[in-house]
Amino acid sequence: MQKLIFGNWKMNLSAADAVKLAKKTSAFALDASRIKVGVFPSFPALERVAFALKGSAIILGGQDCFWASSGAFTGEISPSQLKESGCTHVLIGHSERRQNFNETDEMVNRKMRAALAAGLTPIMCVGETDNDRRNGQWSNVIAGQTAKGLAGVEVSGGQEIVIAYEPVWAIGTGRACAPEDARKAHALIMNTVIELFAPSVAKNNFRIIYGGSVDAGNIGSYLFQEGIDGALVGGASQRGDAFAAVVAAAQK
Ligand code: PGA
């Protein structure tokens, strides 16, 4: 199965720089049978990046969306507006949103259901903090976020749901999670998904990717693990040479 390598550009890059990076990304040599690459620029760059990616196999996604489809929600972006801007994917519940903007599991769940209803592929982020891990709570936190985020979600046909396991302490810190620990977390997430959906749905419709200080040097050690279907890459996706190296290493 294809590995997913998604670049989260966060609130970085001007629209012009995002277009340049998108053009570089669209020139990467990709073995389509082995890898699928996506980029997640900030909202004002989406349409220009979509235009720059036209004709390439690179996926475009938003970094967040709101749950209502329209209305008096100043500053928010609906799933259908993301689609209109060229997106097929959307990040939901990134830990930076949970921590800085008080996003709760309930909000994540509403966003998940709205994104799926609009036909977007959501990438739902879950992960424990340093404190959770020290207190022996990592598994409860991960399983809880997964189950609450997916509550009431219905999966039909070939709809894909991606879950990104991103330990909060590993994001942007250079302290990547030990691949064996990531494998255990992925197995736990998969078991949680199996409890909520039929095992065949869990296997066919869900992908689980790792995020947190992924770079060209360590990506191979994650993709090698059973149950790790790809990576969500922050810092190392925001420079063309670094992202090219990650993507090249992911295809080795
Ligand atoms: P990082 O970010 O690769 O810079 O740790 C990952 C993310 O926030 O998705």
Side-chain angles (χ1 to χ4, degrees), residues 6 8 10 91 94-96 125 166 170-174 211-215 232-238:
F6 290 160
N8 175 9
K10 310 197 179 189
L91 299 179
H94 190 281
S95 68
E96 285 152 16
C125 305
E166 296 209 302
I171 296 179
T173 58
S213 296
V214 170
D215 59 25
L232 181 55
V233 187
S237 74
Q238 295 163 19

Side-chain angles (χ1 to χ4, degrees), residues 41-140:
S42 42
F43 295 133
L46 283 175
E47 274 194 314
R48 285 172 64 181
V49 169
F51 188 73
L53 292 177
K54 257 210 171 99
S56 84
I58 308 296
I59 286 166
L60 180 66
Q63 296 175 12
D64 183 30
C65 69
F66 193 57
W67 54 77
S69 51
S70 64
F73 301 104
T74 303
E76 294 296 329
I77 311 261
S78 72
S80 58
Q81 288 173 327
L82 282 185
K83 280 184 81 177
E84 210 181 12
S85 304
C87 295
T88 53
H89 287 58
V90 60
L91 299 179
I92 291 179
H94 190 281
S95 68
E96 285 152 16
R97 298 214 54 85
R98 292 179 189 260
Q99 291 200 312
N100 301 325
F101 305 101
N102 300 320
E103 270 194 21
T104 63
D105 289 321
E106 202 228 334
M107 292 161 78
V108 169
N109 178 249
R110 294 179 80 167
K111 292 179 176 196
M112 284 295 290
R113 288 190 281 162
L116 285 163
L120 289 169
T121 298
I123 294 102
M124 180 174 86
C125 305
V126 302
E128 82 286 0
T129 62
D130 228 350
N131 253 347
D132 297 331
R133 191 162 270 262
R134 264 198 297 273
N135 299 333
Q137 288 300 313
W138 71 273
S139 53
N140 289 342

Side-chain angles (χ1 to χ4, degrees), residues 165 169 175-184 210 221-222 225:
Y165 169 56
W169 48 270
R175 272 174 67 204
C177 183
E180 172 60 15
D181 289 344
R183 187 192 62 74
K184 284 187 196 150
Y210 168 76
S221 63
Y222 294 109
Q225 302 289 327

Side-chain angles (χ1 to χ4, degrees), residues 162-212:
V162 183
I163 300 177
Y165 169 56
E166 296 209 302
V168 177
W169 48 270
I171 296 179
T173 58
R175 272 174 67 204
C177 183
E180 172 60 15
D181 289 344
R183 187 192 62 74
K184 284 187 196 150
H186 281 233
L188 173 73
I189 292 167
M190 186 40 95
N191 284 338
T192 309
V193 172
I194 288 172
E195 279 170 21
L196 296 167
F197 301 86
S200 62
V201 172
K203 187 170 163 283
N204 296 327
N205 298 72
F206 281 82
R207 315 291 316 275
I208 309 176
I209 64 178
Y210 168 76

